[in-house]
């Protein structure tokens, strides 16, 4: 059974990548639009790092979605 944190990480991985690909952006392009390092985006998409609420908001803004959309 996965923990709540693991489920959130998994949802973030899937949803950030889904919305990013819908915009036909690379991780690098998302990092520029969100003003976050490319490494940070890569670590979030691979589940090695959880974003702060501030960074989550920046990513959601760049992807033009509400932050909760990335968590569900």
């Amino acid at each position: 059974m996965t923990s709540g944190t693991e489920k959130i990480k998994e949802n973030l991985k899937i949803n950030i990548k889904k919305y990013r690909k819908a915009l036909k952006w690379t991780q690098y392009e998302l990092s520029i639009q969100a003003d976050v390092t490319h490494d940070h985006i890569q670590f979030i998409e691979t589940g090695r790092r959880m974003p702060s609420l501030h960074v989550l908001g920046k990513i959601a803004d760049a992807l033009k979605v509400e932050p909760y959309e990335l968590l569900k």
Side-chain angles (χ1 to χ4, degrees):
M1 184 168 150
T2 60
S3 71
T5 302
E6 292 301 315
K7 182 66 175 161
I8 290 170
K9 275 186 184 178
E10 186 66 23
N11 291 350
L12 279 171
K13 286 170 39 174
I14 292 166
N15 291 323
I16 290 173
K17 188 173 184 176
K18 174 181 76 172
Y19 288 112
R20 176 177 61 77
K21 292 207 174 257
L23 292 169
K24 296 182 173 39
W25 286 353
T26 63
Q27 288 179 344
Y28 181 73
E29 289 167 316
L30 175 56
S31 73
I32 291 169
Q33 294 298 319
D35 192 28
V36 176
T37 67
H38 172 257
D39 288 342
H40 202 70
I41 297 293
Q42 186 178 35
F43 290 154
I44 293 167
E45 278 197 12
T46 57
R48 290 186 285 170
R49 187 175 291 164
M50 288 283 287
S52 67
L53 289 176
H54 178 72
V55 170
L56 180 64
K58 289 170 72 168
I59 293 170
D61 286 347
L63 295 172
K64 297 175 179 44
V65 298
E66 293 296 323
Y68 76 88
E69 294 290 336
L70 299 177
L71 300 170
K72 68 178 192 173

